[in-house]
């Protein structure tokens, strides 16, 4: 009896909110099966049965292409041990145009296109990394913390914009505070002085009590006296009805800002606690400028699958720190990358800024780039690019940061 030859198949899934279109094609591009499944446990079991009927082997499962790297369906597919490729929807649109110029689109067509991408160009795409559950949990918390910081900034800017229209004296009273409106002192005082008229009548004792409720323990009387004097400075006024209306609007914006500040604090503690349990914690935090919160964003974006990036150059390109060369004829330009992981790029800018703010080799390198003509963003990007390569090396070799190895002195100085 002859053994049956297993047909290699490729699976494409067009994801939707309540259903998914599935297509299976063989190595010749012929359609083996297609089906629409629901976004339920029964639908996933139906998908597994469809793959099994096509010859899916648990030891060598069929790869799957889908347009999103997140969601319960992706998590369930990764749990089966198969390779899952998250294809950018823009790339799917370009592949679709290779087979049709009529620009027709449907769930089945997109599922066929995704399966065809794996059949012809799987080598040009990377499967989702095999990160540990801890790394994926850190990614959830770190991204949520980063989003909360961005929302806090937007809420603070919205409140500041409103106060400039009717209460500039309050902004001047807290202009020298580091955190300004997002600080607990400013929010506590604004809660009891929403309008200039109310602020003028506010006694110093109530200001001191508000500062105590905000958590301040030192210099309360001196700060209350200074704020009390600043709020009594003369300023222009809106009409009384308009001023009270703006005060109510400020109350609403202040509630949003309070909520976002609480979210930042709570998520910051959660991400620091999870990051401290990761094996890479000691290595990452050994670098200058990286603490618990900022350092956690690195494994959140690069993961802990050391095979996902072929080398340090691939990681730098992913982060957008490596320059890109565009050459056409006699024209050659070297510019920064615009296609990158925006979260990792934002983290790198803050990392380089913190490292360059402290005395040490990193600051010397930043200053050297500035002396050579780089502007501030370019010098920080160059510093981030170099330190990111060092981090890649340390993670691969399991060693902590050494400033003498990272930034060796010039040969003349060493001699």
């Amino acid at each position: 009896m002859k053994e049956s030859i297993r047909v290699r198949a490729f699976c494409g899934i067009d994801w939707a909110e309540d259903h998914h279109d599935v297509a299976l094609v063989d190595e010749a591009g012929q359609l083996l099966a297609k089906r629409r499944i629901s976004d339920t446990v029964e639908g996933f079991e139906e998908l597994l049965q469809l793959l099994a009927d096509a010859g899916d082997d648990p030891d060598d499962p069929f790869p799957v292409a889908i347009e999103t790297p997140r969601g319960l369906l992706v998590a369930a597919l990764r749990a089966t041990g198969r390779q899952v490729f998250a294809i950018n929807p823009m790339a799917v649109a370009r592949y679709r145009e290779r087979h049709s110029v009529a620009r027709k689109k449907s769930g089945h067509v997109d599922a066929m296109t995704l399966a065809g991408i794996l059949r012809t160009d799987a080598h040009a795409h990377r499967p989702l990394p095999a990160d540990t559950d801890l790394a994926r949990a850190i990614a959830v918390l770190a991204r949520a913390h980063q989003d909360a910081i961005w929302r806090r900034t937007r809420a603070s800017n919205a409140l500041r914009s409103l106060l400039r229209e009717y209460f500039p004296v309050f902004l001047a009273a807290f202009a020298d505070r580091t955190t300004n409106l997002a600080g607990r002192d400013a929010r506590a005082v604004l809660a009891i002085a929403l309008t200039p008229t109310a602020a003028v009548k506010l006694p110093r004792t109530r200001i001191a009590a508000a500062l105590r409720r905000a958590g301040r323990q030192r210099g309360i009387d001196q700060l209350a006296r200074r704020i009390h004097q600043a709020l009594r400075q003369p300023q222009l006024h809106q009409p009384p009805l308009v001023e009270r209306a703006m005060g109510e609007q400020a109350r609403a914006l202040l509630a949003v800002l309070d909520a976002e500040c609480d979210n930042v604090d709570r998520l910051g503690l959660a991400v620091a606690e999870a990051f401290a349990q990761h094996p890479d914690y000691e290595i990452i935090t050994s670098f200058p400028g990286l603490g618990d919160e900022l350092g956690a964003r690195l494994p959140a974006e690069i993961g802990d699958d050391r095979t996902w990036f072929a080398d340090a150059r691939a990681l730098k390109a992913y982060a957008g720190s490596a320059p890109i060369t565009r050459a056409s004829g006699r024209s050659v330009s070297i510019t920064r990358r615009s296609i990158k992981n925006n979260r990792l790029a934002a983290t790198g800018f803050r990392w380089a800024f913190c490292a360059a703010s402290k005395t040490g080799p990193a600051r010397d390198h930043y200053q050297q780039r500035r002396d050579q003509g780089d502007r501030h963003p370019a010098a920080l990007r160059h510093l981030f690019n170099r330190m990111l390569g060092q981090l890649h090396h340390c993670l691969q070799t399991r060693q902590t940061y050494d400033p003498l190895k990272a930034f060796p002195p010039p040969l003349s100085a060493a001699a």
Side-chain angles (χ1 to χ4, degrees):
M1 183 176 180
K2 295 183 179 180
E3 296 182 358
S4 59
I5 300 176
R6 178 173 179 260
V7 177
R8 183 66 174 173
F10 306 91
C11 178
I13 301 178
D14 180 64
W15 182 91
E17 185 174 347
D18 56 353
H19 67 270
H20 316 295
D21 286 285
V22 182
L24 284 175
V25 300
D26 60 13
E27 294 179 336
Q30 298 298 318
L31 179 65
L32 297 177
K34 68 175 183 178
R35 190 166 301 175
R36 172 169 289 187
I37 62 174
S38 60
D39 189 29
T40 61
V41 175
E42 293 76 11
F44 182 69
E45 292 177 349
E46 190 177 355
L47 171 61
L48 294 182
Q49 186 60 46
L50 183 68
L51 295 172
D53 294 341
D56 190 35
D57 186 356
D59 296 330
D60 186 20
F62 295 149
V64 174
I66 192 170
E67 289 180 311
T68 177
R70 293 178 292 275
L72 288 174
L73 179 62
V74 175
L77 287 170
R78 296 178 71 177
T80 62
R82 69 183 70 249
Q83 287 186 324
V84 179
F85 292 78
I87 311 298
N88 191 299
M90 294 182 62
V92 178
R94 301 291 84 77
Y95 274 99
R96 191 190 308 121
E97 293 173 355
R98 294 172 55 184
H99 303 283
S100 174
V101 296
R103 295 185 178 181
K104 63 178 180 178
K105 186 182 185 305
S106 67
H108 171 62
V109 170
D110 284 353
M112 284 281 294
T113 302
L114 287 163
I117 291 174
L118 289 187
R119 183 181 70 87
T120 59
D121 295 323
H123 62 280
H125 300 273
R126 291 187 302 174
L128 293 177
D131 294 330
T132 62
D133 292 344
L134 178 57
R136 294 165 66 183
I138 293 173
V140 172
L141 293 173
R143 290 169 182 170
H145 181 246
Q146 193 174 26
D147 289 339
I149 291 176
W150 290 339
R151 291 194 303 268
R152 182 185 65 181
T153 302
R154 288 196 295 269
S156 177
N157 290 339
L159 182 58
R160 173 186 297 278
S161 178
L162 175 63
L163 292 176
R164 287 180 62 87
E165 294 185 16
Y166 83 103
F167 202 177
V169 165
F170 186 87
L171 295 177
F174 289 89
D176 60 336
R177 310 304 298 172
T178 304
T179 53
N180 217 334
L181 292 181
R184 295 182 178 181
D185 294 345
R187 290 185 284 125
V189 175
L190 182 60
I192 60 175
L194 290 170
T195 62
T197 303
V200 171
K201 300 177 182 179
L202 195 65
R204 183 164 52 86
T205 54
R206 286 198 62 191
I207 297 177
L211 294 176
R212 289 190 181 92
R213 288 195 301 270
R216 175 167 289 275
Q217 299 178 354
R218 300 178 181 178
I220 296 177
D221 293 336
Q222 294 83 352
L223 180 59
R225 185 180 301 107
R226 187 184 63 79
I227 294 175
H228 183 259
Q229 295 175 354
L231 294 180
R232 289 174 172 269
Q233 295 298 316
Q235 71 153 54
L236 299 177
H237 286 264
Q238 295 277 3
L241 287 177
V242 177
E243 183 179 285
R244 287 196 295 270
M246 288 185 167
E248 290 302 318
Q249 183 182 2
R251 190 194 305 276
L253 293 177
L254 180 61
V256 175
L257 180 58
D258 287 337
E260 294 304 339
C261 289
D262 292 341
N263 290 336
V264 169
D265 295 339
R266 184 172 59 255
L267 289 170
L269 294 176
V271 71
E273 181 181 356
F275 180 42
Q277 304 174 22
H278 198 277
D280 296 339
Y281 174 80
E282 183 179 356
I283 297 176
I284 294 176
T285 54
S286 66
F287 279 77
L290 289 181
D292 289 350
E293 295 181 0
L294 189 59
R297 297 181 190 176
L298 291 172
E301 300 306 327
I302 67 178
D304 55 6
D305 181 4
R306 298 293 164 245
T307 63
W308 203 46
F309 296 102
D311 50 27
R313 294 179 61 186
L315 176 57
K316 293 176 181 180
Y318 179 71
S321 61
I324 186 170
T325 302
R326 295 182 175 89
S328 177
R330 298 181 179 180
S331 174
V332 178
S333 64
I334 301 176
T335 59
R336 62 183 179 88
R337 293 177 181 266
S338 57
I339 306 300
K340 58 185 180 297
N341 183 319
N342 291 326
R343 290 184 181 271
L344 184 55
T347 300
F349 189 88
R350 283 195 58 193
W351 176 17
F353 181 82
C354 294
S357 300
K358 299 179 181 179
T359 303
R363 179 178 179 83
D364 297 339
H365 180 82
Y366 165 81
Q367 192 60 48
Q368 180 183 4
R369 298 298 306 184
R370 292 283 286 163
D371 295 340
Q372 292 177 3
D374 283 356
R375 303 189 67 173
H376 176 66
L380 287 182
R381 188 165 53 248
H382 192 280
L383 177 59
F384 170 49
N385 187 63
R386 180 159 181 173
M387 291 194 300
L388 191 61
Q390 297 163 3
L391 177 63
H392 179 270
H393 174 77
C394 290
L395 291 175
Q396 293 287 349
T397 58
R398 310 305 302 171
Q399 58 179 310
T400 57
Y401 171 80
D402 186 349
L404 295 180
K405 293 181 180 179
F407 298 94
L411 294 179
S412 58

